[in-house]
Amino acid sequence: MKERPSFPARLPGSAPAKKAKPAAPINQPQGLGMDSSAVRQRMVQKLAGQGLRDPFVLQAMGAVERHRFVDSALVNQAYEDTSLPIGLGQTISKPGVVARMLELLRNGASGQLGRVLEIGTGCGYQAAVLSHLASEVYSIERLRGLHDKARENLRYLRLTRLHLLLGDGMLGYPAGAPYAGIVAAAGGEAIPQAWIDQLAVGGRLVAPVSHASGAVGGQALMVLDKTAQGVRQTVLEAVHFVPLKSGVA
Ligand code: SAH
């Protein structure tokens, strides 16, 4: 079995690491103990300081161990508000961006969302966070290497209501439709019609989309609400996501 990255022995502001257990297996859940939880709580406080308010999202961000989803060399940066490489030219989004997208997706709901579709599983981090917020999560990735990595990263959580799929997310995933929410972690020129078709009436889609007329590579966050009267689109702040590509590789 692949060894998981160990959590750094010394974290900023945390108590010095105890020297008592150097031979303990690396990164056993109980071995991480309070340190990683305390660092996550600080991350959550910073997110709240940035204006993120949804208690469900903040709770989920505090619960998921982001350091388990990045390479061992990057573990020290796992709780900083920065995107990190996850291999094959892709990146795990900043915690602030993940929280923002999920807060938009939830749209102040009083409880859990129903079925949700995520486009771009990547390393599986956001899928794990989503699993706290939705009754069923379908997450699709087009790169086999990352699909396998996410499966490996998520195994220990035994999330029976998270379904990892290898495929072209531009086509959505009709078998799970209709979705209460759809969230994309990669940005294209426009929102694929398949996503809109697979969104439930009353559902919400959050995705980065390239500016129609803007500078090269410029993207903005787009929120699309599907109502009985039609779709309503809102363009929000500029963002920077990896490109949405078609096909499986
Ligand atoms: N949510 C991820 C972020 C991954 S980055 C995480 O927490 O790690 C975005 C991912 O979208 C990349 O892995 C990329 O391969 C994937 N992607 C791009 N186009 C796609 C498509 N058409 N279908 C599925 N995945 C796609």
Side-chain angles (χ1 to χ4, degrees):
M1 221 181 92
K2 209 182 86 185
E3 235 176 25
R4 294 192 167 280
S6 66
F7 198 73
R10 293 284 304 262
L11 295 161
S14 69
K18 294 202 180 74
K19 285 198 178 146
K21 298 187 262 173
I26 292 177
N27 212 6
Q28 291 294 299
Q30 66 276 40
L32 304 169
M34 296 307 293
D35 278 359
S36 92
S37 153
V39 180
R40 259 192 315 287
Q41 289 319 313
R42 275 202 290 281
M43 176 187 83
V44 168
Q45 280 162 15
K46 281 189 197 151
L47 294 174
Q50 288 169 23
L52 292 149
R53 288 283 172 265
D54 187 319
F56 288 80
V57 174
L58 294 175
Q59 186 278 334
M61 298 293 295
V64 178
E65 299 180 324
R66 193 170 185 258
H67 67 272
R68 288 180 178 268
F69 293 84
V70 299
D71 286 346
S72 46
L74 301 170
V75 160
N76 278 307
Q77 297 172 62
Y79 296 104
E80 289 171 17
D81 199 20
T82 177
S83 57
L84 295 169
I86 54 174
L88 302 176
Q90 308 302 316
T91 51
I92 178 175
S93 308
K94 290 189 209 206
V97 170
V98 171
R100 167 81 171 138
M101 292 190 80
L102 299 185
E103 184 163 299
L104 287 167
L105 190 71
R106 279 188 31 79
N107 195 19
S110 57
Q112 265 203 338
L113 294 176
R115 286 195 302 277
V116 167
L117 175 66
E118 179 190 42
I119 319 294
T121 314
C123 67
Y125 171 72
Q126 183 172 276
V129 180
L130 264 175
S131 297
H132 285 253
L133 305 173
S135 63
E136 204 90 24
V137 177
Y138 295 84
S139 181
I140 187 160
E141 172 58 54
R142 64 179 290 274
L143 298 177
R144 187 180 296 274
L146 287 175
H147 168 76
D148 291 344
K149 187 182 237 182
R151 194 170 287 290
E152 177 76 17
N153 287 343
L154 289 160
R155 183 167 294 139
Y156 83 105
L157 287 171
R158 298 180 203 283
L159 299 167
T160 53
R161 289 188 285 184
L162 166 61
H163 312 282
L164 297 180
L165 311 156
L166 176 68
D168 181 356
M170 284 177 84
L171 309 173
Y173 183 66
Y179 298 102
I182 299 180
V183 60
E189 298 288 311
I191 306 270
Q193 186 60 40
W195 300 358
I196 301 172
D197 294 345
Q198 291 170 30
L199 194 61
V201 172
R204 175 171 267 208
L205 187 158
V206 181
V209 178
S210 299
H211 290 303
S213 57
V216 181
Q219 290 173 335
L221 208 50
M222 167 99 80
V223 168
L224 184 151
D225 290 301
K226 186 164 169 178
T227 70
Q229 286 73 44
V231 297
R232 189 176 55 238
Q233 301 189 24
T234 314
V235 179
L236 301 167
E237 69 268 23
V239 284
H240 188 70
F241 280 82
V242 297
L244 184 71
K245 294 186 176 170
S246 59
V248 175

